[in-house]
Amino acid sequence: MAKKITQKTKNAMPLQDAVARAHNFEEVALGYPVDLAVLEAQRCIQCKNYPCVAGCPVEIDIPKFILQVAERDFEGAFKTLMDRNVLPAICGRVCPQEEQCEVKCTLGVKFEPVAIGRIERFVADYASLVKFTDDTPPAPPTGHKVAVVGSGPAGLTVAADLAKMGHGVTIFEALHKAGGVLVYGIPEFRLPKAIVAGEIEGLKRIGVEIKVNHVIGQTFTVDELFTELGYEAVFIATGAGLPTFPKIPGINLIGVYSANEYLTRSNLMKAYLFPVSDTPTIRGKNVAVIGGGNTAMDAVRTALRLGAENAYLVYRRTRKEMPARLEEVEHAEEEGVKIMMLAAPTAILADERSRVRAMRCIRMELGEPDSSGRRSPVPQKGSEFDIDVDTVVFAIGQGANPLIRNTTPDLPMNKWGNILADDATGATQKPGVFAGGDIVTGGATVISAMGAGRRAARAIDRYLTNPSADGYSPTDV
Amino acid sequence: MHRILNKEVLAPDVVRFWIEGAHIARKRKPGQFVIIRTSEEGERIPLTIADVDKQRGAISIIVQGVGTSTKRLNELNVGDAILDLAGPLGRATEIHPNARVCCIGGGIGTAVVYPIACGAKALHGQVVAIVGGRTKDFIILEKELLAVVDRVIVTTDDGSAGTKGLVTDALQALLAEGQTFDEVVAVGPLPMMKAVVAVTRPLGIKTTVSLNPLMVDGTGMCGGCRVSVGGEQKFVCVDGPEFDGQLVDFDELAARLRAYGEQEAESLRIYNQRVACQAITT
């Protein structure tokens, strides 16, 4: 039964002051206080078609949890969330709701949509504060064993779903901390690592085993997971773990970083706390980040927090074509990031100690659309100009790490090293091997990786419990 | 649990550890390395696996205490656990059977060359080892090499052990004697590897070097360890650590190794202060 509309606009998210937050790594968005969360939840008119649910890659029962918040049943709301989403505190922070659930919101047709993401975050944070736990016991043990390669969003989701079904799951993580891009890629000020650790503890409580410092492709190959360690299925979720550098002079100078390295030093290794943390990073005074996606935003806002006087985002197209979340671009500009559009680097110039001294750029204009549908940038001859920088970070796309490719020759991949997997099931052409997340799609979002994990868990469960009598065939699942 | 099983001081600030690590030991081939971390705030650092004991499920590393991380590691004792140990990383050495190889180790580089020499001998090669150091105190693994290879030549800058001179002098002397080699393997400070390549290039002798750039993840994810080899970009952690010495841009690597000089000095200053304070209070 549809309700009356109480408020046409979203309740604003309390934020850290823009000037202050540009100099600290604390979370930018502070979260709704209880009463604001309830007010926002009451905006939902509980429409009869609930198109929002179809927009959610993990199919959360959105109207139900929002109604529970509106009625102050926060524990109920938490249980509803956890039923479909094992990482609500993470999704509530990093999902592009404006492209998923909120864009479909009925209220959003004429007014601002319900702030579904903010309410989700509120519920997750509230639950953590008062220590609600999801006490739904997992199904009885099935005796089946599954190996998951990678502890990022896809790996964590598939592991949690399979564990709840009663299967034995081990996640193998190459780094020394679990979380994948959630710990090394997304900065503290967008996603506090304590939150990630808390979500991961939740997984361990339902029986997921996590082995860090295990590099699949080196420590064990995929085949050895089957033959030596006795796993019956393997889910590969190794992410976008290969940096991209352009072929221009100067990319090996001191001060030139891939976004992966720049962010890993800061986020995973806490280089912003050096010398308390042993890992250093360059605290550039004039930093240029090349790119226009969320990774570029994260890198340039990190540069500000590391003390940059000038943090430039250099993008070859315009704001309209930027893939980054609008919210991130807005926050970045409020913090003082200077966005230089329609420009791209042609060379990085050195000083006498092989350190970055300046970056030569060329101006672009937009031409015909390319395969992504966006207008192609065309360099304008003779428009070169130099900017004084001491640090350059390339956030122009992250590709597929080669370690699995090099040691699993019978696992079909495309020419960029992405694993070929069925969209609905994650099944690859190698029997018993499934894959999902950025290793399949190329760099995308946390939530789309989670959706892939969810779909693959169902397929793996069918594969384990109903093996085809004729032997494995991808079309069986 | 990666407990330290054995600790031995080989030279001033140079320590050999044997560490528990069955899953690493079982897979390890000569030339590979591990990434180690000793504390929550610690750096991830790469170290070559010098030797392995597959029965015992243990690996050995040889650590030169140069900066905070390596000095902190060398403070650990038998029974202490290493917080994080990942491996084996990198590609194995390409060892050809029945080859005549000259293995050259400079300083701590000998720790890297030792497993390669063992590998070559295991495949019926003839191996001459040249081990160089500043003084006799910095010559390591001489005894171990003598037990494995066909001939060991020691050189020291000051003549306090073996022949006075550089490893390249010894190499040139061998070549002048009429010795021929299918391959030269050289590991040590960058100027040393560069100098060896200068000797072998005109003679067209295949020369393999093992590189030691700065690393963070060690799995090819960040590109921090990138080097130029024959004009192409390679990541030492997944394409190396060994490369054709004739093609490596040593100067570029030397420059990149200086990236954090100031930070390293500051960190070491604080470390030394802490050590000095502890000495006073204990």
Side-chain angles (χ1 to χ4, degrees):
Chain A
M1 177 202 85
K3 295 171 35 216
K4 243 169 47 129
I5 291 158
T6 53
Q7 198 177 301
K8 296 177 181 172
T9 53
K10 285 181 181 180
N11 283 293
M13 167 64 96
L15 299 174
Q16 249 201 90
D17 164 72
V19 173
R21 74 188 194 226
H23 300 285
N24 68 49
F25 277 83
E26 284 149 46
E27 209 175 347
V28 170
L30 302 171
Y32 278 155
V34 174
D35 291 333
L36 216 53
V38 173
L39 263 174
E40 186 62 30
Q42 288 173 341
R43 291 184 64 227
C44 172
I45 60 171
Q46 295 293 322
C47 67
K48 81 173 157 15
N49 295 325
Y50 47 88
C52 49
V53 177
C56 174
V58 293
E59 308 146 7
I60 293 173
D61 189 340
I62 299 171
K64 183 170 176 194
F65 93 82
I66 290 186
L67 184 62
Q68 285 165 316
V69 172
E71 294 172 345
R72 301 188 100 101
D73 175 14
F74 304 130
E75 189 162 8
F78 178 62
K79 286 191 155 59
T80 304
L81 262 185
M82 287 294 275
D83 185 54
R84 312 261 61 218
N85 185 346
V86 290
L87 311 173
I90 293 171
C91 287
R93 283 169 165 80
V94 307
C95 271
Q97 292 96 2
E98 65 278 8
E99 289 167 25
Q100 295 171 176
C101 48
E102 290 177 16
V103 73
K104 295 201 155 34
C105 173
T106 298
L107 199 62
V109 173
K110 279 177 74 172
F111 309 112
E112 280 194 337
V114 175
I116 300 170
R118 292 172 186 171
I119 301 172
E120 178 184 24
R121 178 211 163 138
F122 162 77
V123 174
D125 287 358
Y126 188 91
S128 170
L129 201 65
V130 306
K131 300 189 189 340
F132 289 150
T133 44
D134 179 14
D135 288 327
T136 326
T142 62
H144 291 294
K145 280 174 55 163
V146 182
V148 176
V149 184
S151 66
L156 293 173
T157 301
V158 78
D161 281 5
L162 287 169
K164 285 192 202 165
M165 294 175 197
H167 298 304
V169 186
T170 306
I171 300 179
F172 292 91
E173 167 55 48
L175 295 173
H176 58 273
K177 270 200 165 42
V181 75
L182 304 172
V183 286
Y184 77 72
I186 303 179
E188 182 72 19
F189 57 84
R190 272 216 296 140
L191 181 61
K193 301 314 148 207
I195 303 253
V196 180
E199 305 274 73
I200 289 174
E201 277 310 302
L203 257 68
K204 290 184 181 166
R205 276 197 297 272
I206 59 170
V208 174
E209 184 187 18
I210 301 181
K211 292 191 164 173
V212 293
N213 296 314
H214 278 66
V215 184
I216 301 307
Q218 295 281 143
T219 317
F220 296 98
T221 60
V222 170
D223 287 324
E224 284 164 357
L225 291 173
F226 290 102
T227 58
E228 273 187 49
L229 298 179
Y231 291 98
E232 295 157 65
V234 175
F235 181 74
I236 300 177
T238 48
L242 184 74
T244 309
F245 291 98
K247 288 186 169 41
I248 60 174
I251 57 164
N252 291 341
L253 294 172
I254 297 173
V256 180
Y257 289 100
S258 71
N260 273 354
E261 184 185 356
Y262 193 66
L263 292 170
T264 297
R265 280 182 183 270
S266 235
N267 302 329
L268 177 67
M269 308 307 299
K270 304 262 177 287
Y272 60 87
L273 294 176
F274 180 90
V276 169
S277 164
D278 289 342
T279 303
T281 188
I282 293 177
R283 288 179 175 262
K285 286 276 156 283
N286 298 294
V287 182
V289 173
I290 320 302
N294 290 318
T295 307
M297 289 304 146
D298 285 341
V300 76
R301 293 169 74 194
T302 295
L304 271 180
R305 285 157 173 79
L306 288 174
E309 283 162 17
N310 291 298
Y312 303 107
L313 188 83
V314 178
Y315 183 54
R316 59 192 183 146
R317 292 185 172 97
T318 74
R319 190 185 298 264
K320 202 160 72 79
E321 290 84 26
M322 272 185 182
R325 286 187 76 189
L326 189 59
E327 177 178 306
E328 304 308 327
V329 180
E330 283 170 357
H331 287 171
E333 282 184 308
E334 284 164 15
E335 289 161 14
V337 168
K338 300 181 178 74
I339 302 186
M340 292 176 59
M341 288 180 274
L342 293 169
T346 57
I348 305 178
L349 311 176
D351 70 8
E352 62 288 346
R353 295 182 305 149
S354 295
R355 304 184 89 102
V356 175
R357 156 177 79 77
M359 188 168 78
R360 181 150 298 158
C361 300
I362 193 165
R363 299 216 184 268
M364 298 289 189
E365 54 188 358
L366 293 182
E368 291 303 303
D370 69 10
S371 57
S372 74
R374 292 177 297 171
R375 293 179 67 191
S376 287
V378 178
Q380 292 183 279
K381 268 233 253 308
S383 68
E384 281 89 343
F385 63 98
D386 290 355
I387 45 173
D388 282 338
V389 286
D390 51 38
T391 311
V392 177
V393 181
F394 287 103
I396 56 177
Q398 284 71 239
N401 186 283
L403 286 182
I404 300 248
R405 168 170 77 242
N406 291 345
T407 54
T408 326
D410 59 341
L411 184 59
M413 312 204 182
N414 68 15
K415 66 178 183 198
W416 294 289
N418 296 111
I419 297 176
L420 298 173
D422 182 86
D423 198 49
T425 63
T428 68
Q429 284 162 52
K430 187 170 157 72
V433 177
F434 298 74
D438 286 359
I439 189 65
V440 173
T441 60
T445 60
V446 163
I447 191 67
S448 74
M450 290 179 62
R454 165 121 322 139
R455 296 190 294 277
R458 288 196 274 256
I460 293 171
D461 178 58
R462 282 199 298 276
Y463 171 74
L464 291 173
T465 56
N466 297 302
S468 156
D470 304 325
Y472 174 85
S473 160
T475 54
D476 283 2
V477 295
Chain B
M1 259 284 87
H2 300 295
R3 258 193 312 260
I4 295 174
L5 302 169
N6 197 270
K7 177 181 183 180
E8 191 187 339
V9 177
L10 300 183
D13 288 321
V14 179
V15 177
R16 171 168 53 199
F17 290 105
W18 278 93
I19 306 171
E20 271 178 345
H23 60 283
I24 301 175
R26 97 194 200 295
K27 240 345 212 346
R28 173 267 187 192
K29 298 192 178 61
Q32 292 187 302
F33 64 98
V34 288
I35 290 255
I36 280 193
R37 224 171 65 108
T38 56
S39 65
E40 266 310 316
E41 2 29 280
E43 262 189 301
R44 293 171 60 92
I45 59 169
L47 287 160
T48 303
I49 303 173
D51 203 350
V52 70
D53 185 337
K54 295 196 191 222
Q55 309 278 51
R56 214 172 159 206
I59 56 163
S60 81
I61 53 169
I62 297 176
V63 187
Q64 180 171 40
V66 176
T68 299
S69 301
T70 43
K71 282 181 189 288
R72 243 203 260 280
L73 176 50
N74 285 353
E75 279 181 54
L76 296 177
N77 291 303
V78 173
D80 290 337
I82 303 276
L83 181 62
D84 293 298
L85 188 67
L89 302 176
R91 291 181 191 233
T93 308
E94 277 174 27
I95 299 176
H96 304 288
N98 310 305
R100 286 163 311 173
V101 187
C102 181
C103 287
I104 308 178
I108 194 72
T110 304
V112 180
V113 138
Y114 171 71
I116 299 172
C118 293
K121 280 307 295 180
L123 290 178
H124 317 294
Q126 285 178 294
V127 181
V128 176
I130 302 175
V131 179
R134 271 182 282 145
T135 73
K136 69 171 166 34
D137 288 336
F138 294 93
I139 299 294
I140 61 169
L141 305 182
E142 185 186 354
K143 195 170 42 72
E144 288 85 345
L145 280 162
L146 275 166
V148 174
V149 305
D150 301 288
R151 186 174 165 194
V152 178
I153 299 165
V154 171
T155 67
T156 45
D157 294 1
D158 66 356
S160 53
T163 319
K164 180 163 181 208
L166 304 172
V167 294
T168 39
D169 298 329
L171 174 62
Q172 278 169 318
L174 282 173
L175 296 168
E177 263 176 41
Q179 290 262 11
T180 54
F181 298 108
D182 298 310
E183 185 175 351
V184 169
V185 177
V187 189
L190 289 176
M192 177 214 125
M193 292 191 285
K194 208 175 154 189
V196 169
V197 168
V199 169
T200 59
R201 179 177 282 124
L203 303 169
I205 307 175
K206 176 171 190 288
T207 308
T208 301
V209 295
S210 184
L211 302 182
N212 63 338
L214 300 176
M215 264 187 208
V216 184
D217 65 294
T219 61
M221 180 266 265
C222 83
C225 65
R226 60 191 185 278
V227 292
S228 298
V229 181
E232 283 178 14
Q233 182 180 87
K234 298 283 178 193
F235 292 171
V236 173
C237 65
V238 296
D239 302 315
E242 290 163 30
F243 295 96
D244 181 344
Q246 315 276 7
L247 301 177
V248 170
D249 185 343
F250 290 101
D251 292 339
E252 181 187 78
L253 176 55
R256 285 180 62 71
L257 281 168
R258 293 193 285 270
Y260 302 102
E262 267 177 44
Q263 291 95 326
E264 286 163 2
E266 185 190 348
S267 180
L268 193 55
R269 190 183 51 78
I270 296 168
Y271 172 88
N272 286 334
Q273 243 176 356
R274 193 259 289 167
V275 168
C277 285
Q278 266 174 340
I280 296 171
T281 56
T282 51

